[in-house]
């Protein structure tokens, strides 16, 4: 965490994070245009932020897009904010967000974390029911071939849909699939009202992609990208809160043998 606090101590780097918070997924050129900094300075600051894990990058064609990564901040909150204070802190953060936030044109969730494990074990944790049910309360029925259908058991609710399919499956390196359909049964399970169900059901199909890299021995880099949302998507807002908890519990399970407690 020393690298995180060091990165946040510089006002120029905080300005870069503020810029990404306002509009995620910017190129280096776009970041330079929005700030009174030379291209070389922006590149150096971005390198520090990437090293600290506060910024994640995704290649789209010939462009390199930069995203604010919530993982380090989430870990700081988990370490120093007790579970009794967490609800109050979250309520204040949600109020601040509601007052300040402007809708994003194309919401994209990007989350990067480092796990002491192997690519093989991480692949198992992403695909095998014995793992997924422990940290996610979710299981998948599929043969994990590109184009194959998927049936989700999401918190005890079975979800099948023709458009619910595996998009990519390269063992130990890359996995992608379309997100599950929203059903009345799922709405009942989570206590959503009719308006919320109708809003979520009417949204376009999104997708999630997991990229697995091994930058060092016994350490694996996991990047989760959830995109394909419509502007102002309600589902995008929901997964932006849900993914940090899922990935943190996955990391804890692989490193300690036990997922995070349900109330963590």
């Amino acid at each position: 965490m020393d690298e995180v606090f060091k990165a946040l101590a510089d006002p120029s780097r905080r300005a870069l994070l503020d810029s990404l918070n306002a509009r995620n997924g910017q190129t280096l050129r776009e970041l330079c245009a929005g700030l009174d900094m030379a291209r070389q300075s922006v590149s150096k600051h971005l390198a520090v932020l990437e090293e600290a894990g506060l910024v994640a990058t995704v290649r789209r064609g010939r462009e390199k897009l930069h995203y604010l990564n919530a993982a380090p901040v989430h870990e700081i909150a988990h370490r120093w904010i007790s579970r009794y204070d967490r609800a109050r802190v979250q309520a204040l953060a949600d109020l601040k967000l509601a007052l300040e936030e402007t809708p994003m044109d194309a919401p994209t969730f990007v989350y990067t974390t480092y796990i002491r494990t192997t690519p093989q074990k991480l692949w198992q944790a992403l695909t095998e029911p014995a793992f997924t049910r422990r940290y996610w309360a979710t299981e998948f029925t599929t043969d994990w071939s590109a184009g194959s259908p998927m049936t989700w058991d999401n918190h005890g609710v079975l979800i099948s849909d023709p458009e619910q399919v595996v998009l990519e499956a390269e063992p130990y390196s890359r996995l992608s699939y379309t997100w599950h359909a929203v059903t009345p049964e799922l709405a009942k399970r989570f206590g959503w009202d009719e308006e919320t169900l109708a809003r979520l059901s009417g949204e376009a199909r999104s997708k999630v992609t997991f990229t697995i890299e091994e930058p060092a021995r016994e350490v694996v880099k996991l990047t989760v990208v959830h995109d394909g949302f419509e502007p102002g998507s309600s589902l995008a807002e929901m997964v932006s809160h849900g993914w940090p908890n899922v990935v943190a519990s996955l990391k804890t399970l692989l490193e300690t043998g036990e997922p995070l407690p349900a109330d963590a």
Side-chain angles (χ1 to χ4, degrees):
M1 291 190 179
D2 290 345
E3 291 180 340
V4 176
F5 287 116
K6 179 181 177 182
L8 293 173
D10 186 279
S12 295
R13 289 194 281 272
R14 292 199 299 272
L16 281 168
L17 294 177
D18 286 339
S19 179
L20 290 174
N21 187 44
R23 185 167 66 86
N24 229 352
Q26 295 187 57
T27 63
L28 176 60
R29 176 178 52 80
E30 290 171 328
L31 285 167
C32 291
L35 298 169
D36 188 20
M37 276 191 276
R39 184 184 182 91
Q40 185 176 11
S41 298
V42 173
S43 295
K44 289 181 178 179
H45 286 309
L46 284 173
V48 174
L49 291 169
E50 284 189 61
E51 185 68 24
L54 289 162
V55 167
T57 59
V58 175
R59 285 282 180 184
R60 292 288 169 83
R62 301 175 67 177
E63 292 186 322
K64 183 179 182 182
L65 304 182
H66 299 80
Y67 291 88
L68 190 65
N69 181 36
V73 177
H74 185 267
E75 290 172 8
I76 289 171
H78 179 68
R79 179 171 178 175
W80 279 298
I81 300 176
S82 75
R83 62 175 178 166
Y84 303 106
D85 292 327
R86 196 164 289 133
R88 182 168 65 252
V89 172
Q90 184 64 55
L92 291 172
D94 288 345
L95 175 60
K96 184 175 187 292
L97 218 64
L99 293 173
E100 296 180 353
E101 189 177 63
T102 55
M104 295 166 56
D105 292 336
T108 296
F109 176 85
V110 179
Y111 195 97
T112 297
T113 192
Y114 293 83
I115 307 173
R116 289 192 301 275
T117 188
T118 65
Q120 292 78 10
K121 288 181 180 178
L122 179 52
W123 182 266
Q124 282 185 295
L126 292 172
T127 58
E128 295 186 7
F131 284 93
T132 58
R133 76 167 70 99
R134 294 190 65 193
Y135 67 86
W136 198 353
T138 297
E139 299 178 26
F140 308 104
T141 301
T142 181
D143 63 7
W144 294 114
S145 298
S148 292
M150 299 177 69
T151 295
W152 290 52
D153 182 335
N154 191 339
H155 293 77
V157 178
L158 287 178
I159 308 170
S160 295
D161 187 276
E163 296 182 5
Q164 212 164 265
V165 297
V166 179
L167 299 173
E168 298 178 72
E170 301 174 16
Y172 321 134
S173 63
R174 188 174 174 87
L175 179 66
S176 180
Y177 47 81
T178 56
W179 199 241
H180 63 75
V182 176
T183 66
E185 294 78 12
L186 194 66
K188 182 179 180 180
R189 168 65 179 79
F190 290 109
W192 300 335
D193 58 25
E194 290 295 327
E195 181 182 350
T196 301
L197 173 60
R199 187 168 65 249
L200 292 174
S201 300
E203 291 193 12
R205 177 77 62 175
S206 62
K207 73 178 189 298
V208 62
T209 302
F210 304 89
T211 302
I212 301 171
E213 302 170 79
E214 193 173 15
R217 183 178 176 84
E218 298 182 355
V219 175
V220 175
K221 177 183 178 182
L222 172 65
T223 300
V224 182
V225 178
H226 197 148
D227 58 7
F229 300 109
E230 298 176 337
S233 166
S234 296
L235 183 59
E237 176 67 19
M238 296 171 95
V239 302
S240 71
H241 291 291
W243 273 121
N245 294 318
V246 171
V247 177
S249 193
L250 164 63
K251 173 182 169 72
T252 303
L253 174 63
L254 287 171
E255 293 185 343
T256 71
E258 293 294 332
L260 290 177
D263 63 349

